[in-house]
Amino acid sequence: MKQKWQSYPSSIRLLAIAAIIFSTGMACIWPLVTIYIHDYLGKPLTVAGFLLLLNQGAFLIGSIAGGMLFDRWGKMRTIVFASIGVILISVGLGVTHDFTLYTILLLLNGLFYGTLSPVMNALAVVLWPEGGRKGINMIYVALNAGVAAGSALGGLLASISFAWTFFGNAISQVIVLVMFVLILPRQLKAVAERGYRAEQANTAGTPAAAVQSAAKPKPVEAFSPLQQLPTKKVAWGALLLLCSGLLISWIVYVQWTTVLSTYMQSLGISLRQYSLLWTINGGLILFCQPLIAWVIGRFARTLRAQMLLGSYVFVLSMLILSQTTSYAGFVAGMFIMTLGEMLVWPAVPAVAAEFTPQGREGFIQGLISGTGSAGRMLGPLLGAVIFQHFQAQGLLYIMAGLALMSVAFFALHSSFQGRTRKVPAATVEKM
């Protein structure tokens, strides 16, 4: 494990540590929001559900806006702006007991968290462009490790005071912000230097380039590695199909947190047993990476194959659930679904990064993050309507069919993927 960790560049290791702390703070809040609204603010569960729906809508808007700011306004400015917003809002959530103010702050929290959401994957692409799926997968695992730690820490803090769950989140975001401010500019400069040296090595063989280089010394920090000219733009057809497949995958996945939780309780499965399924989910993500690496190496050596295999696994999970009413069957379904999650969730942003023009990393990763948020918004409503009309087995068969649709979208996306021509260019790298 130690050797595996050290095989990653220092910039990715630091980013992973920041992702763990970031996700730990976020997970202090979210498992307890519904309980807080219902038990402490005295509102019905329907109100809590509606507020979470609005929060996800704000998250979606923030994801797209954050990606655009990351590219156009600068990396450090976006991080500092959004992080300060999250910190102040978390403190506000901890001190207020007014429902109207809480609602406003919860929406702003979704907006600012959405602004930060593309940052981790976009930075993984920028800091280690040659890493491909490995860098993004590392961030995925780190974020899930933070969720596992934060869920336990949130329960501990809530036993002291619910206010401390919000304050704990604020403290963790302060730590992440300090890490970014102290470390990120140096890492970005190192990336720019590597790119400049690569550019010089490519052009050093031509006499004209050598004369020009000698006549006009260029400051290292003023150059980005390789910039893609706007003559070859984003492959929108490929991106639309990719996002469509991801949207459907999230609609299928989110049934576990909504309709299926209610269905399991109607079968006599306790809330504690249901919660244990998510402990299994987190443990698999953390400790089954060698298994996933073996599966990828044996059956899914390309990112496209990885997405397709993960979607087929989603189908299998839904079919297993459709044929069982026992707790052991749900454990098996969660095990299978988690394997699919470990294949699909890291693969989609990595695929998007492959055909992202340089300078558009934040925007594209923001769209990917926003698509996931849209799936988490639509999934509960769609699942509830289907469940009401077709009962549990009908819902599960329909979800299996939707998962097959995501297979089709993922299979077709590469047909629309254009090749972006890379040429050296001298531009100031925004921080």
Side-chain angles (χ1 to χ4, degrees):
M1 183 68 72
K2 182 179 179 181
Q3 186 177 6
K4 176 82 171 175
W5 170 257
Q6 291 178 343
S7 68
Y8 289 89
S10 61
S11 58
I12 297 299
R13 296 201 299 267
L14 290 168
L15 186 61
I17 294 171
I20 291 173
I21 300 171
F22 172 82
S23 185
T24 297
M26 186 168 59
C28 284
I29 296 178
W30 293 116
L32 303 171
V33 165
T34 301
I35 298 173
Y36 184 79
I37 295 173
H38 182 260
D39 294 349
Y40 285 81
L41 297 180
K43 301 300 177 181
L45 289 175
T46 52
V47 172
F50 182 67
L51 287 183
L52 291 176
L53 177 68
L54 293 179
N55 177 270
Q56 283 297 310
F59 188 97
L60 189 157
I61 295 170
S63 295
I64 297 174
M68 295 174 67
L69 289 173
F70 185 90
D71 294 332
R72 299 182 183 182
W73 195 28
K75 301 169 182 60
M76 282 305 305
R77 288 179 182 177
T78 303
I79 291 169
V80 170
F81 168 72
S83 296
I84 290 175
V86 167
I87 293 165
L88 294 178
I89 290 167
S90 295
V91 173
L93 287 169
V95 300
T96 186
H97 299 284
D98 179 76
F99 178 70
T100 302
L101 181 58
Y102 181 87
T103 300
I104 295 171
L105 290 175
L106 194 65
L107 292 179
L108 290 174
N109 186 274
L111 185 68
F112 280 105
Y113 259 119
T115 304
L116 280 174
S117 68
V119 165
M120 297 296 177
N121 282 341
L123 282 177
V125 174
V126 171
L127 294 173
W128 195 26
E130 64 275 19
R133 78 175 86 180
K134 290 181 64 178
I136 291 178
N137 189 68
M138 168 63 81
I139 302 307
Y140 165 75
V141 174
L143 289 171
N144 279 279
V147 168
S151 298
L153 179 60
L156 178 63
L157 292 174
S159 66
I160 302 171
S161 169
F162 256 100
W164 271 103
T165 63
F166 300 111
F167 297 153
N169 177 56
I171 292 170
S172 69
Q173 305 314 321
V174 168
I175 295 172
V176 173
L177 177 59
V178 170
M179 288 183 65
F180 277 136
V181 169
L182 294 180
I183 298 170
L184 185 58
R186 187 165 63 247
Q187 296 293 339
L188 291 172
K189 183 178 178 181
V191 171
E193 289 175 347
R194 289 200 305 270
Y196 174 67
R197 287 195 295 268
E199 178 187 342
Q200 291 298 94
N202 289 334
T203 59
T206 62
V211 171
Q212 184 179 10
S213 178
K216 294 183 178 181
K218 302 172 184 177
V220 170
E221 62 271 18
F223 292 88
S224 63
L226 285 178
Q227 186 178 12
Q228 295 165 330
L229 289 179
T231 53
K232 201 70 172 180
K233 298 181 180 179
V234 176
W236 289 110
L239 186 61
L240 177 61
L241 289 168
L242 193 66
C243 288
S244 298
L246 180 63
L247 176 69
I248 293 174
S249 297
W250 266 109
I251 288 173
V252 174
Y253 182 86
V254 82
Q255 302 309 313
W256 275 99
T257 63
T258 53
V259 177
L260 287 178
S261 63
T262 304
Y263 171 59
M264 289 174 66
Q265 290 184 65
S266 72
L267 296 174
I269 297 171
S270 68
L271 189 60
R272 182 176 180 181
Q273 289 175 303
Y274 171 74
S275 299
L276 181 60
L277 291 178
W278 291 106
T279 303
I280 294 172
N281 174 268
L284 288 172
I285 291 172
L286 291 179
F287 299 112
C288 285
Q289 289 300 314
L291 172 62
I292 285 296
W294 178 82
V295 169
I296 290 172
R298 186 71 180 270
F299 303 107
R301 295 186 179 181
T302 67
L303 287 169
R304 179 177 179 272
Q306 184 176 330
M307 292 190 302
L308 294 176
L309 179 60
S311 297
Y312 281 124
V313 170
F314 279 180
V315 175
L316 177 61
S317 175
M318 292 292 106
L319 292 178
I320 288 174
L321 294 180
S322 71
Q323 302 303 312
T324 185
T325 56
S326 69
Y327 184 65
F330 284 97
V331 172
M334 174 58 82
F335 179 84
I336 298 297
M337 181 65 82
T338 303
L339 294 180
E341 170 190 354
M342 294 165 70
L343 290 166
V344 175
W345 294 168
V348 173
V351 169
E354 284 188 340
F355 59 88
T356 299
Q358 190 172 340
R360 305 295 298 277
E361 297 91 351
F363 174 68
I364 298 301
Q365 294 301 326
L367 284 179
I368 297 298
S369 177
T371 298
S373 182
R376 293 189 292 272
M377 286 177 62
L378 296 174
L381 177 60
L382 181 61
V385 171
I386 295 173
F387 183 80
Q388 184 177 358
H389 286 85
F390 300 101
Q391 300 303 313
Q393 194 170 50
L395 169 71
L396 294 167
Y397 282 140
I398 291 172
M399 288 299 142
L402 287 177
L404 279 176
M405 285 182 60
S406 71
V407 172
F409 283 125
F410 287 146
L412 288 172
H413 94 277
S414 58
S415 301
F416 291 81
Q417 182 176 334
R419 294 181 176 273
T420 305
R421 183 170 58 92
K422 294 184 178 182
V423 297
T427 57
V428 176
E429 176 73 10
K430 292 184 179 179
M431 295 188 187

